[in-house]
Amino acid sequence: MASLLYRLGRFSFRRRKRVVAVWLLLLVVLGGAAATLMGPTSDKFTMPGTESQRALDSLQEQFPQASGTTGTIVIAAPEGAKLDKAAVAPVVRDAAAVDGVVGAVDPFQAGAVSEDGRYALVQVQFEAVADEVTDAQRAAYEKVGADADADGLRVEHGGEVLNAEVEVGSTEAIGVLIAAGVLVVTFGSLVAAGMTLLNALVAVAAGMAGLFAVSSVVELTSTAPILALMLGLAVGIDYSLFITSRHRQYLTEGVDAEEAAGRAVGTAGSAVVFAGATVVIALAGLTVVNIPFLSVMGLAAAGTVAVAVLVALTLLPALLGFAGDRVLPRKQRDGHASAGTPVDLGKPREGFGFRWGRTVTRFRVPVLLVGILGLGVLALPAADMRLALPDAGTAAAGSATREAYDLTSEGFGPGFNGRLIAVVSGDDAASTAVAAKEATERIRGTKDVLAVAPPLLNKQGTTALLTVIPKAGPTDEATEVVVHAVRDRVADIGDFAGAEGADVALSGTTAVGIDVSEKVSDAMLVYLLLVVGLSILLLMLVFRSFLVPLKAALGFLLTIGATFGITVAIFQQGHLAGLLGVDSPGPLVSFLPILLIGILFGLAMDYEVFLVSRMREDFVHGAGAQEATVSGMGHNARVVTAAALIMTAVFGGFIFMPDPIIKSIGFALAVGVLVDAFVVRMALVPAVMSLLGRAAWWLPRAVDRALPNLDIEGESLQRKLVPEQREHAGEKSDETDTVRV
């Protein structure tokens, strides 16, 4: 692979104008396709095979009038006053007149008025599902009750219809600016920093355009493009950083620019291919858990990462050709005026990476104890982790849905925000009526159920809807208990006399969220084992070792545990939540843990490959185990540090978004990168490698012969280039000597 990439790097450098032209043409084509074919994103979290989804599908078929999205208008009188029918009637009338609304329910007829008479709820039923409601219809809905608001009543609009799509704002630019600053400091060259950032932006633009181009045939969740953008930026910058750093190293050693680009792509590019492949495989592996919206998110992000790898291997060497020696700091350019003349022929000055490597290897046992115990303590809150789909109670303070949620809780209690829908289906109207009556009595007798509304029947009388109000809020643990208790109580309703063949399925947004969370939780352990097993196999292929992959997998588990623990402590338990703008701590979004496992696995393997590959390279060329460990840290610590800071900055930029899902994903990824890069890879890895010594590179001969050679370190490329380098330097050929590429 290294030889193939070497030739690709030289070709892209030599034919740089053509390569740039091809990428520009591709951007234009993808951009045009995105503009003409882009479809809407969705906030639906469907879950085939669950009871809640089965109920929704039945409702769509048997009772389409009630299968559309809903809205809730909350009306409150001034403190000490009461609402009357005359004041509420105009609100109900205006709501029913909104285009696309099937009907609006008078709260005085439905009994949706608080005991003190101060609060009322107007239920609004739309004909279309939320994704098909137009912006004009939403705007008209939000204007309902403006006159009542002017008369002193408080009117707030909420419900599923106002679940807005997540939009990318200016806050993400903060992470990009920080990344640009890190690149300038790392490279000491504005040209190198700007070129690396430009390369990443091209990759993101191409990946996002391609993603939106297929959105007309593939239903994207609103978070899928954000995740793709987040990962595309981070890995795009990092992969370009690794290759550019290696290119600059060769230039300072006196290698010709075109040759330097070829060798950089052949060596660092090989590691980039492997690192990118691990991210893509881990994200694409989300499809095995059979959760549609999660599969789409994983595939969308995987596609963007794959594009970032292609751009780094082709466009970057072309840009290096245009940049020339300007990728070097100004003080080093004169030394590179003539090809073949190293900038500094003396012994290179050892930087912080070498000193850090020696310190860690010297105090390896204390480092291991402190690191493992510290991460173990940080992981403790993860034992209390709860998962749920976000509700309006976690929306940004001041938003319309949040105001309606809080006002509903104030007037009626939190359970009115977590309504459940029991769908009763029968073979005929008689059996359905009997089943609905019996189900109503059983559900009313369930602990922590506040109320059950009278059944609402379709025209044929074969399907009935029962609105169930729990006492607790939608993400409260008690509501989860209620859902399971209700399902248990009505499970045998078809055996009741007169209701033979009838079926009751519990659904609604709250029940869907519970089903999604439980299915994700059940799949998480399987997926974690899959990822860990994959990491051991892939790293065994790369490093020809058994203990190195095992160490990497255990380190990844430490990263995941600490990341979960810190995220739970802040977003669920509320510690320091105010600093991140989290005003209502609650359960983590249900798909966050499994998503983190997939993403952090790929990123953790990035750092593992870039650090340990240099250690193995030195070891196989005669260095002692301790010396190889220190050398690996010394040569790559600076680049890995810069890469981790850049990823943290990019992910951290999303913390400033008001959407709770994106905020929690951005925070967890930023923390995970910091923990993995600076604690696990930069401290625990060299400590373990030093402790293992030569045993770290042990692999049974039979296994070694059976495994294919991926040549990540570019050994085949080195064997090819050593004679050329000696001939160029006028040295006597000696096949027993080795020269580092």
Side-chain angles (χ1 to χ4, degrees):
M1 183 170 62
S3 298
L4 175 63
L5 293 178
Y6 167 76
R7 292 193 296 271
L8 178 62
R10 293 197 61 169
F11 172 83
S12 299
F13 185 98
R14 188 167 53 252
R15 306 294 185 186
R16 47 188 173 272
K17 291 183 180 180
R18 295 183 184 179
V19 172
V20 170
V22 168
W23 275 108
L24 288 177
L25 177 61
L26 186 60
L27 282 177
V28 172
V29 172
L30 289 175
T36 56
L37 301 176
M38 183 170 62
T41 58
S42 170
D43 287 307
K44 293 188 300 183
F45 296 98
T46 58
M47 188 63 63
T50 60
E51 179 175 327
S52 57
Q53 188 62 45
R54 177 166 55 86
L56 292 177
D57 294 340
S58 174
L59 202 61
Q60 178 70 35
E61 180 180 351
Q62 301 295 331
F63 206 162
Q65 300 90 338
S67 63
T69 190
T70 60
T72 302
I73 300 176
V74 193
I75 308 173
E79 189 173 355
K82 293 185 177 181
L83 294 171
D84 55 41
K85 293 184 178 181
V88 173
V91 178
V92 178
R93 184 177 60 252
D94 292 347
V98 172
D99 183 31
V101 169
V102 176
V105 181
D106 188 326
F108 285 95
Q109 294 180 1
V113 180
S114 62
E115 292 183 1
D116 59 5
R118 184 186 170 193
Y119 303 88
L121 296 177
V122 179
Q123 296 300 317
V124 182
Q125 180 68 51
F126 284 79
E127 182 179 6
V129 295
D131 298 336
E132 298 174 1
V133 176
T134 66
D135 292 338
Q137 290 172 333
R138 285 193 178 91
Y141 168 72
E142 291 183 281
K143 291 179 181 178
V144 171
D147 294 337
D149 192 53
D151 293 337
L153 300 181
R154 182 181 174 187
V155 180
E156 299 292 348
H157 305 77
E160 298 175 19
V161 70
L162 291 185
N163 288 342
E165 295 180 4
V166 182
E167 297 181 355
V168 180
S170 58
T171 55
E172 295 78 60
I174 297 175
V176 177
L177 290 176
I178 296 175
V182 174
L183 287 172
V184 171
V185 172
T186 302
F187 288 137
S189 166
L190 288 174
V191 172
M195 181 189 64
T196 302
L197 193 59
L198 174 63
N199 202 72
L201 293 176
V202 170
V204 168
M208 295 295 289
L211 179 61
F212 284 121
V214 301
S215 62
S216 59
V217 294
V218 177
E219 186 177 73
L220 298 180
T221 60
S222 58
T223 52
I226 305 296
L227 179 64
L229 172 64
M230 195 185 297
L231 276 180
L233 270 176
V235 301
I237 295 175
D238 277 6
Y239 294 163
S240 297
L241 167 66
F242 290 131
I243 294 177
T244 302
S245 297
R246 188 62 68 93
H247 175 76
R248 282 158 46 99
Q249 174 190 333
Y250 289 134
L251 287 180
T252 59
E253 293 175 357
V255 178
D256 173 76
E258 180 180 330
E259 180 69 15
R263 295 188 188 187
V265 175
T267 53
S270 297
V272 164
V273 169
F274 173 78
T278 58
V279 179
V280 169
I281 292 172
L283 289 171
L286 289 171
T287 58
V288 303
V289 300
N290 196 29
I291 300 175
F293 72 86
L294 200 57
S295 298
V296 170
M297 291 176 66
L299 291 174
T304 307
V305 172
V307 172
V309 173
L310 290 175
V311 170
L313 298 177
T314 56
L315 181 61
L316 179 60
L319 295 179
L320 289 173
F322 285 111
D325 63 0
R326 286 175 294 176
V327 296
L328 296 173
R330 187 176 299 274
K331 62 182 179 180
Q332 294 183 350
R333 293 174 192 171
D334 293 338
H336 187 258
S338 59
T341 304
V343 173
D344 182 5
L345 297 177
K347 183 178 180 180
R349 181 174 62 88
E350 292 188 350
F352 173 76
F354 286 94
R355 297 193 297 272
W356 174 252
R358 290 193 177 92
T359 301
V360 172
T361 55
R362 180 182 178 185
F363 299 102
R364 51 185 179 268
V365 174
V367 167
L368 284 172
L369 290 176
V370 172
I372 293 175
L373 291 177
L375 293 179
V377 171
L378 291 176
L380 290 178
D384 298 325
M385 182 170 60
R386 292 189 59 246
L387 304 178
L389 286 181
D391 58 22
T394 60
S399 63
T401 53
R402 176 64 181 276
E403 292 294 325
Y405 182 97
D406 291 342
L407 193 60
T408 301
S409 297
E410 177 185 311
F412 296 89
F416 277 77
N417 285 304
R419 299 178 183 187
L420 305 169
I421 302 295
V423 181
V424 183
S425 302
D427 296 332
D428 51 52
S431 62
T432 301
V434 173
K437 181 179 179 181
E438 178 64 19
T440 300
E441 294 301 321
R442 293 187 184 187
I443 295 173
R444 278 188 182 143
T446 305
K447 182 181 178 182
D448 290 333
V449 169
L450 189 63
V452 181
L456 178 65
L457 297 169
N458 65 351
K459 291 181 180 180
Q460 297 79 16
T462 55
T463 300
L465 299 184
L466 305 176
T467 300
V468 181
I469 309 297
K471 290 183 180 180
T475 59
D476 196 289
E477 193 170 1
T479 303
E480 185 176 342
V481 175
V482 167
V483 168
H484 290 295
V486 168
R487 286 173 171 170
D488 290 341
R489 289 179 68 88
V490 300
D492 60 346
I493 203 78
D495 298 332
F496 188 75
E500 289 83 359
D503 176 72
V504 181
L506 197 63
S507 187
T509 303
T510 300
V512 169
I514 292 172
D515 287 346
V516 169
S517 300
E518 290 181 349
K519 188 162 185 179
V520 171
S521 297
D522 293 340
M524 189 161 58
L525 179 59
V526 175
Y527 183 66
L528 179 60
L529 294 175
L530 174 67
V531 166
V532 170
L534 177 66
S535 68
I536 293 176
L537 177 61
L538 290 178
L539 291 179
M540 191 179 297
L541 288 172
V542 173
F543 297 125
R544 326 298 295 182
S545 165
F546 177 75
L547 294 179
V548 168
L550 183 61
K551 174 264 306 170
L554 293 176
F556 171 66
L557 293 178
L558 289 174
T559 296
I560 286 294
T563 302
F564 285 172
I566 296 171
T567 306
V568 167
I570 294 177
F571 284 83
Q572 179 178 314
Q573 298 177 349
H575 303 295
L576 304 177
L579 296 178
L580 298 178
V582 181
D583 56 290
S584 297
L588 302 184
V589 60
S590 56
F591 54 84
L592 175 61
I594 198 168
L595 200 63
L596 284 181
I597 291 173
I599 296 173
L600 288 180
F601 162 73
L603 302 183
M605 295 307 103
D606 282 2
Y607 302 133
E608 182 76 14
V609 169
F610 289 116
L611 282 175
V612 181
S613 62
R614 184 58 185 255
M615 297 178 188
R616 182 177 185 272
E617 186 178 347
D618 285 354
F619 180 78
V620 298
H621 291 119
Q626 301 297 323
E627 181 185 353
T629 300
V630 173
S631 178
M633 293 298 299
H635 286 97
N636 288 328
R638 178 181 176 87
V639 177
V640 170
T641 298
L645 291 176
I646 288 170
M647 277 200 176
T648 302
V650 172
F651 293 147
F654 290 84
I655 296 175
F656 299 99
M657 291 189 69
D659 183 85
I661 296 179
I662 302 302
K663 183 189 290 287
S664 61
I665 292 176
F667 173 82
L669 286 176
V671 168
V673 168
L674 286 175
V675 169
D676 192 81
F678 294 110
V679 180
V680 176
R681 308 303 159 186
M682 298 282 284
L684 298 185
V685 164
V688 172
M689 295 297 290
S690 175
L691 193 64
L692 293 175
R694 297 183 62 87
W697 306 108
W698 173 79
L699 185 68
R701 290 185 178 180
V703 177
D704 188 35
R705 288 193 298 268
L707 294 177
N709 186 7
L710 298 181
D711 191 22
I712 294 296
E713 295 84 8
E715 293 180 25
S716 62
L717 177 61
Q718 178 177 347
R719 288 193 296 270
K720 173 187 175 183
L721 295 178
V722 162
E724 297 178 5
Q725 182 172 340
R726 288 174 174 165
E727 181 180 354
H728 178 74
E731 296 176 352
K732 182 179 179 180
S733 177
D734 184 352
E735 294 183 357
T736 61
D737 292 339
T738 57
V739 178
R740 185 179 318 283
V741 179

